[in-house]
Coordinates of all heavy atoms in Angstrom, one line a residue:
S21 N -4.8 7.2 -10.2 CA -3.8 8.2 -9.8 C -2.4 7.7 -10.0 O -2.1 6.5 -10.0 CB -4.0 8.7 -8.4 OG -3.9 7.6 -7.5
R23 N 1.4 6.5 -9.6 CA 2.2 5.8 -8.6 C 3.6 6.4 -8.5 O 4.2 6.8 -9.4 CB 2.3 4.4 -8.9 CG 1.0 3.6 -8.9 CD 1.2 2.2 -9.4 NE 0.0 1.4 -9.2 CZ 0.0 0.1 -9.1 NH1 1.1 -0.6 -9.2 NH2 -1.1 -0.5 -9.0
M31 N 4.2 -2.3 8.6 CA 3.6 -3.5 8.9 C 2.2 -3.5 8.4 O 1.5 -2.5 8.5 CB 3.6 -3.7 10.5 CG 2.9 -5.0 10.9 SD 2.9 -5.2 12.7 CE 4.5 -5.9 12.9
V32 N 1.8 -4.6 7.9 CA 0.4 -4.9 7.5 C -0.2 -5.9 8.4 O 0.4 -6.9 8.7 CB 0.3 -5.3 6.0 CG1 -1.1 -5.8 5.6 CG2 0.7 -4.2 5.0
T33 N -1.5 -5.6 8.8 CA -2.2 -6.5 9.7 C -3.6 -6.8 9.1 O -4.2 -5.8 8.7 CB -2.3 -5.9 11.1 OG1 -1.0 -5.6 11.6 CG2 -3.0 -6.9 12.0
C34 N -4.0 -8.0 9.1 CA -5.4 -8.4 8.7 C -5.8 -9.5 9.7 O -5.0 -9.8 10.6 CB -5.4 -8.9 7.3 SG -4.6 -10.5 7.0
S39 N 2.5 -8.9 9.0 CA 3.8 -9.1 8.5 C 4.5 -7.7 8.4 O 3.8 -6.7 7.9 CB 3.8 -9.8 7.2 OG 5.1 -9.8 6.6
V42 N 7.7 -3.8 3.0 CA 8.1 -2.6 2.3 C 6.9 -2.1 1.4 O 6.4 -2.9 0.6 CB 9.3 -2.8 1.5 CG1 9.7 -1.5 0.8 CG2 10.5 -3.3 2.4
V43 N 6.6 -0.8 1.5 CA 5.7 -0.2 0.5 C 6.5 0.0 -0.7 O 7.4 0.8 -0.7 CB 5.1 1.1 1.1 CG1 4.3 1.8 0.0 CG2 4.3 0.9 2.3
K44 N 6.2 -0.7 -1.8 CA 7.0 -0.6 -3.1 C 6.5 0.5 -3.9 O 7.3 1.1 -4.5 CB 6.8 -1.9 -3.9 CG 7.4 -3.1 -3.2 CD 8.8 -3.0 -2.7 CE 9.7 -3.3 -3.9 NZ 11.2 -3.3 -3.6
D45 N 5.2 0.9 -3.9 CA 4.8 2.1 -4.5 C 3.6 2.6 -3.8 O 2.9 1.9 -3.1 CB 4.6 1.9 -6.1 CG 3.5 1.0 -6.5 OD1 2.4 1.0 -5.8 OD2 3.7 0.2 -7.4
L46 N 3.3 3.9 -4.0 CA 2.3 4.6 -3.3 C 1.6 5.6 -4.2 O 2.3 6.2 -5.0 CB 3.0 5.4 -2.1 CG 2.2 6.4 -1.3 CD1 1.1 5.7 -0.5 CD2 3.1 7.2 -0.4
S47 N 0.3 5.6 -4.1 CA -0.4 6.7 -4.9 C -1.4 7.3 -3.9 O -1.5 6.9 -2.7 CB -1.2 6.0 -6.1 OG -2.3 5.3 -5.6
D48 N -2.2 8.2 -4.3 CA -3.2 8.9 -3.4 C -4.3 7.9 -3.1 O -5.0 8.2 -2.1 CB -3.8 10.1 -4.1 CG -2.8 11.2 -4.3 OD1 -1.8 11.3 -3.6 OD2 -3.0 12.1 -5.2
E49 N -4.4 6.8 -3.8 CA -5.5 5.9 -3.6 C -5.1 4.5 -3.2 O -6.0 3.7 -2.8 CB -6.4 5.8 -4.8 CG -7.1 7.2 -5.1 CD -8.0 7.1 -6.3 OE1 -8.3 6.0 -6.8 OE2 -8.4 8.2 -6.7
G50 N -3.8 4.2 -3.3 CA -3.5 2.8 -3.0 C -2.0 2.6 -2.7 O -1.2 3.5 -2.9
I51 N -1.7 1.3 -2.4 CA -0.3 0.9 -2.0 C 0.0 -0.4 -2.6 O -0.9 -1.3 -2.5 CB -0.2 0.9 -0.4 CG1 -0.2 2.2 0.2 CG2 1.0 0.1 0.0 CD1 -0.2 2.3 1.7
C52 N 1.2 -0.6 -3.0 CA 1.7 -2.0 -3.3 C 2.6 -2.4 -2.2 O 3.7 -1.6 -2.0 CB 2.4 -2.1 -4.6 SG 3.2 -3.7 -5.0
F53 N 2.3 -3.4 -1.4 CA 3.1 -3.7 -0.2 C 3.7 -5.1 -0.4 O 3.1 -6.1 -0.8 CB 2.2 -3.8 1.0 CG 2.9 -3.8 2.3 CD1 3.2 -2.6 3.0 CD2 3.3 -4.9 2.9 CE1 3.9 -2.6 4.1 CE2 4.0 -4.9 4.1 CZ 4.3 -3.7 4.7
Q54 N 5.0 -5.2 -0.2 CA 5.8 -6.4 -0.3 C 5.9 -7.0 1.1 O 6.6 -6.4 2.0 CB 7.2 -6.3 -1.0 CG 7.9 -7.6 -1.2 CD 9.1 -7.3 -2.0 OE1 9.7 -6.3 -2.1 NE2 9.6 -8.4 -2.6
L55 N 5.3 -8.2 1.3 CA 5.3 -8.9 2.6 C 6.6 -9.7 2.9 O 7.1 -10.2 1.9 CB 4.1 -9.8 2.7 CG 2.7 -9.2 2.5 CD1 1.7 -10.3 2.2 CD2 2.4 -8.4 3.7
I59 N 0.6 -13.8 5.1 CA -0.3 -13.7 6.1 C -1.7 -14.1 5.7 O -2.7 -14.0 6.4 CB -0.3 -12.3 6.7 CG1 -0.7 -11.3 5.6 CG2 0.9 -12.0 7.4 CD1 -0.9 -9.8 6.1
A61 N -3.5 -12.9 3.3 CA -4.4 -11.8 2.9 C -5.0 -12.1 1.6 O -4.4 -12.5 0.6 CB -3.6 -10.5 2.8
R62 N -6.4 -11.9 1.5 CA -7.1 -12.3 0.3 C -7.9 -11.1 -0.2 O -8.3 -10.2 0.6 CB -8.1 -13.5 0.5 CG -7.4 -14.7 1.0 CD -6.5 -15.3 -0.1 NE -5.8 -16.5 0.4 CZ -4.4 -16.5 0.5 NH1 -3.8 -15.4 0.2 NH2 -3.9 -17.5 0.9
M63 N -8.3 -11.1 -1.4 CA -9.1 -10.0 -2.0 C -10.3 -9.7 -1.2 O -11.0 -10.6 -0.7 CB -9.5 -10.4 -3.4 CG -8.5 -10.1 -4.5 SD -9.1 -10.4 -6.2 CE -10.7 -9.8 -6.2
G64 N -10.6 -8.4 -0.9 CA -11.7 -8.0 -0.2 C -11.5 -7.9 1.3 O -12.3 -7.4 2.1
Q65 N -10.3 -8.4 1.8 CA -10.1 -8.4 3.2 C -9.6 -7.0 3.6 O -8.9 -6.4 3.0 CB -9.0 -9.5 3.5 CG -9.0 -10.0 4.9 CD -8.1 -11.2 5.0 OE1 -7.0 -11.3 4.4 NE2 -8.5 -12.2 5.8
E66 N -10.1 -6.6 4.8 CA -9.7 -5.3 5.4 C -8.3 -5.5 6.0 O -8.0 -6.5 6.7 CB -10.6 -4.8 6.4 CG -10.3 -3.4 6.9 CD -11.4 -2.7 7.7 OE1 -12.6 -2.9 7.3 OE2 -11.1 -2.0 8.6
V67 N -7.4 -4.5 5.8 CA -6.1 -4.5 6.4 C -5.7 -3.1 7.0 O -6.4 -2.1 6.6 CB -5.0 -4.8 5.3 CG1 -5.1 -6.2 4.8 CG2 -5.0 -3.8 4.2
T68 N -4.8 -3.1 7.9 CA -4.3 -1.9 8.4 C -2.8 -1.8 8.1 O -2.1 -2.8 8.1 CB -4.5 -1.7 9.9 OG1 -3.8 -2.8 10.5 CG2 -5.9 -1.7 10.3
I69 N -2.3 -0.6 7.8 CA -0.9 -0.4 7.5 C -0.3 0.6 8.5 O -1.0 1.6 8.7 CB -0.7 0.2 6.1 CG1 -1.3 -0.7 5.0 CG2 0.8 0.4 5.8 CD1 -2.6 -0.2 4.5
R70 N 0.8 0.2 9.1 CA 1.4 1.1 10.1 C 2.9 1.3 9.6 O 3.6 0.4 9.3 CB 1.4 0.5 11.5 CG 0.1 0.3 12.1 CD 0.3 -0.3 13.5 NE -1.0 -0.8 14.0 CZ -1.7 -0.1 14.8 NH1 -1.3 1.0 15.3 NH2 -2.9 -0.6 15.2
L74 N 4.2 7.0 7.2 CA 2.8 7.2 6.8 C 1.8 7.2 8.0 O 0.7 7.6 7.8 CB 2.4 6.1 5.8 CG 3.0 6.1 4.4 CD1 2.7 4.9 3.7 CD2 2.7 7.4 3.7
L77 N -2.9 3.6 8.4 CA -3.9 3.7 7.3 C -4.7 2.5 7.2 O -4.2 1.4 7.7 CB -3.1 3.9 6.0 CG -2.2 5.1 5.8 CD1 -1.4 5.0 4.5 CD2 -3.1 6.4 5.7
T78 N -5.9 2.5 6.7 CA -6.7 1.3 6.5 C -7.0 1.2 5.0 O -7.1 2.1 4.3 CB -8.0 1.3 7.3 OG1 -8.7 2.5 7.0 CG2 -7.7 1.4 8.8
G79 N -7.3 -0.1 4.7 CA -7.7 -0.3 3.2 C -8.2 -1.7 3.0 O -8.4 -2.5 4.0
I80 N -8.4 -2.0 1.8 CA -9.0 -3.3 1.3 C -8.0 -3.9 0.4 O -7.5 -3.3 -0.6 CB -10.3 -3.1 0.7 CG1 -11.3 -2.4 1.5 CG2 -10.9 -4.4 0.1 CD1 -11.8 -3.2 2.8
V81 N -7.8 -5.2 0.5 CA -6.9 -5.9 -0.4 C -7.6 -6.0 -1.8 O -8.7 -6.5 -1.9 CB -6.5 -7.4 0.1 CG1 -5.6 -8.1 -1.0 CG2 -5.7 -7.3 1.4
R82 N -6.9 -5.5 -2.9 CA -7.5 -5.6 -4.2 C -6.9 -6.7 -5.0 O -7.6 -7.3 -5.8 CB -7.2 -4.3 -5.0 CG -7.9 -3.0 -4.4 CD -9.3 -3.1 -4.7 NE -9.5 -3.1 -6.1 CZ -10.3 -2.4 -6.9 NH1 -11.1 -1.7 -6.3 NH2 -10.4 -2.6 -8.1
W83 N -5.6 -7.1 -4.7 CA -5.0 -8.2 -5.4 C -3.9 -8.7 -4.6 O -3.4 -8.1 -3.7 CB -4.5 -7.8 -6.8 CG -3.6 -6.6 -6.9 CD1 -4.0 -5.3 -7.1 CD2 -2.2 -6.6 -6.6 NE1 -2.9 -4.5 -7.0 CE2 -1.7 -5.3 -6.7 CE3 -1.3 -7.5 -6.3 CZ2 -0.5 -4.8 -6.6 CZ3 0.1 -7.1 -6.2 CH2 0.4 -5.8 -6.3
S84 N -3.5 -10.0 -4.9 CA -2.4 -10.6 -4.2 C -1.6 -11.4 -5.3 O -2.2 -12.3 -6.0 CB -2.9 -11.6 -3.1 OG -1.9 -12.3 -2.5
R85 N -0.3 -11.2 -5.3 CA 0.6 -11.9 -6.3 C 1.9 -12.2 -5.6 O 2.7 -11.3 -5.4 CB 0.8 -11.0 -7.5 CG -0.4 -10.8 -8.4 CD 0.0 -10.0 -9.6 NE -1.2 -9.4 -10.2 CZ -1.5 -8.1 -10.1 NH1 -0.7 -7.2 -9.7 NH2 -2.7 -7.7 -10.6
D87 N 4.5 -12.5 -3.1 CA 4.7 -11.8 -1.8 C 4.2 -10.4 -1.8 O 4.6 -9.7 -0.8 CB 6.3 -11.9 -1.4 CG 7.1 -11.2 -2.4 OD1 6.7 -10.8 -3.5 OD2 8.3 -11.0 -2.1
R88 N 3.5 -10.0 -2.8 CA 3.0 -8.6 -2.8 C 1.5 -8.6 -2.8 O 0.8 -9.4 -3.3 CB 3.5 -7.9 -4.1 CG 5.0 -7.7 -4.1 CD 5.4 -7.0 -5.3 NE 6.9 -6.8 -5.3 CZ 7.5 -5.9 -6.0 NH1 6.9 -5.1 -6.8 NH2 8.9 -5.9 -5.9
I89 N 1.0 -7.5 -2.2 CA -0.5 -7.3 -2.2 C -0.8 -5.9 -2.6 O 0.0 -4.9 -2.3 CB -1.1 -7.6 -0.8 CG1 -0.6 -6.8 0.3 CG2 -1.1 -9.1 -0.5 CD1 -1.3 -6.9 1.6
G90 N -1.8 -5.6 -3.3 CA -2.3 -4.3 -3.6 C -3.4 -3.9 -2.7 O -4.3 -4.7 -2.5
I91 N -3.3 -2.7 -2.1 CA -4.2 -2.3 -1.2 C -4.9 -1.0 -1.6 O -4.2 0.0 -1.9 CB -3.5 -2.0 0.2 CG1 -2.9 -3.3 0.7 CG2 -4.5 -1.5 1.3 CD1 -1.9 -3.1 1.9
K92 N -6.2 -0.9 -1.7 CA -6.9 0.3 -2.0 C -7.2 0.9 -0.7 O -7.8 0.4 0.2 CB -8.2 -0.1 -2.7 CG -9.1 1.2 -3.0 CD -10.3 0.9 -3.9 CE -11.2 2.0 -4.1 NZ -10.6 3.3 -4.4
L93 N -6.7 2.1 -0.5 CA -6.8 2.9 0.8 C -8.3 3.3 0.9 O -8.9 3.7 0.0 CB -5.9 4.0 0.8 CG -4.4 3.7 0.8 CD1 -3.6 4.9 0.7 CD2 -4.0 2.9 2.0
K94 N -8.7 3.4 2.2 CA -10.0 4.0 2.5 C -9.7 5.5 2.5 O -8.9 6.0 3.3 CB -10.5 3.5 3.9 CG -11.0 2.1 3.9 CD -11.8 1.8 5.2 CE -12.4 0.4 5.1 NZ -13.0 0.1 6.3
L95 N -10.3 6.1 1.6 CA -10.1 7.6 1.4 C -10.8 8.4 2.4 O -12.0 8.3 2.6 CB -10.4 8.0 -0.1 CG -9.7 7.2 -1.1 CD1 -10.2 7.7 -2.5 CD2 -8.2 7.3 -1.0
T99 N -6.4 10.3 5.5 CA -5.5 9.6 4.6 C -4.8 10.6 3.7 O -3.6 10.4 3.5 CB -6.3 8.6 3.8 OG1 -6.9 7.7 4.8 CG2 -5.5 7.8 2.9
I103 N -0.6 11.1 3.4 CA 0.1 10.9 2.2 C 0.9 12.2 1.8 O 2.0 12.2 1.4 CB -0.7 10.3 1.1 CG1 -1.2 8.9 1.5 CG2 -0.1 10.3 -0.2 CD1 -2.2 8.2 0.6

Side-chain angles (χ1 to χ4, degrees):
S21 56
R23 293 179 173 198
M31 177 181 279
V32 167
T33 303
C34 64
S39 174
V42 178
V43 175
K44 297 304 278 185
D45 66 43
L46 172 68
S47 74
D48 292 339
E49 298 184 9
I51 289 174
C52 173
F53 196 92
Q54 186 171 21
L55 301 165
I59 58 173
R62 302 291 174 246
M63 277 183 41
Q65 206 171 35
E66 187 168 323
V67 295
T68 58
I69 303 105
R70 295 177 193 263
L74 293 173
L77 300 170
T78 60
I80 302 292
V81 176
R82 294 287 301 225
W83 54 263
S84 175
R85 294 184 197 110
D87 63 348
R88 293 183 183 200
I89 59 174
I91 302 167
K92 179 173 175 43
L93 296 173
K94 286 192 177 177
L95 302 179
T99 298
I103 292 171

